[in-house]
Amino acid sequence: MNGSGVSLWIEIPVAVLLMLSGIFTLSAAIGLVRFRTFFQRMHPPALAFSFSAWCVTLASILYFSAQDHKLSLHAWLIIIFLSITVPVTTILLARTELFRKRTGGQRDLVPPALSRQMEARRNAAPAQANTPD
């Protein structure tokens, strides 16, 4: 044991998890700089920051469980809320950007709305049914 009251065998995995968290965060930052479009830039933070948060949560559980000599699971609340909110936020941001591009005259840069695709399929179906074989 050292001065903090936690064994070296606990501090090593905690340090590895925290360093892994930093690597994930750095990769997300590099992805933000490298990618060009908004849709490409959405993925690195959503994925890498989630992995980073998982690493920090696991490190926190290990460290505080060893320090208090009992299982400390209060950090799970943080990761549960992050796991719920990050995908929802990403979807809302993507839908907002699609709406902005469709209403801003940049329709050639985004796929058509699903309602228009369904209308085109419905209109094409009767025409195909009337053609003789």
Side-chain angles (χ1 to χ4, degrees):
M1 289 216 179
N2 55 20
S4 67
V6 178
S7 171
L8 182 65
W9 294 105
I10 297 297
E11 287 184 351
I12 290 173
V14 167
V16 168
L17 284 169
L18 291 176
M19 288 178 56
L20 194 59
S21 172
I23 291 170
F24 283 134
T25 303
L26 180 65
S27 68
I30 291 170
L32 279 174
V33 172
R34 279 193 68 208
F35 293 132
R36 290 186 168 91
T37 67
F38 177 80
F39 294 109
Q40 291 173 338
R41 288 181 178 172
M42 283 177 30
H43 295 287
L47 295 175
F49 288 149
S50 295
F51 292 145
S52 178
W54 274 100
C55 289
V56 170
T57 301
L58 291 175
S60 173
I61 289 171
L62 279 174
Y63 183 80
F64 289 112
S65 293
Q67 187 179 26
D68 297 340
H69 301 294
K70 62 179 182 178
L71 191 58
S72 177
L73 295 177
H74 62 277
W76 280 112
L77 291 174
I78 298 167
I79 199 63
I80 288 170
F81 289 133
L82 281 175
S83 296
I84 293 170
T85 58
V86 167
V88 172
T89 304
T90 303
I91 290 169
L92 290 175
L93 286 171
R95 290 182 60 93
T96 302
E97 184 66 11
L98 275 172
F99 178 77
R100 288 180 64 210
K101 287 194 181 287
R102 286 181 181 148
T103 58
Q106 299 175 344
R107 291 177 187 245
D108 55 335
L109 299 176
V110 294
L114 289 176
S115 59
R116 290 188 184 168
Q117 289 178 1
M118 294 306 292
E119 285 178 23
R121 285 186 184 175
R122 277 190 228 124
N123 294 337
Q128 290 177 352
N130 293 337
T131 57
D133 289 333

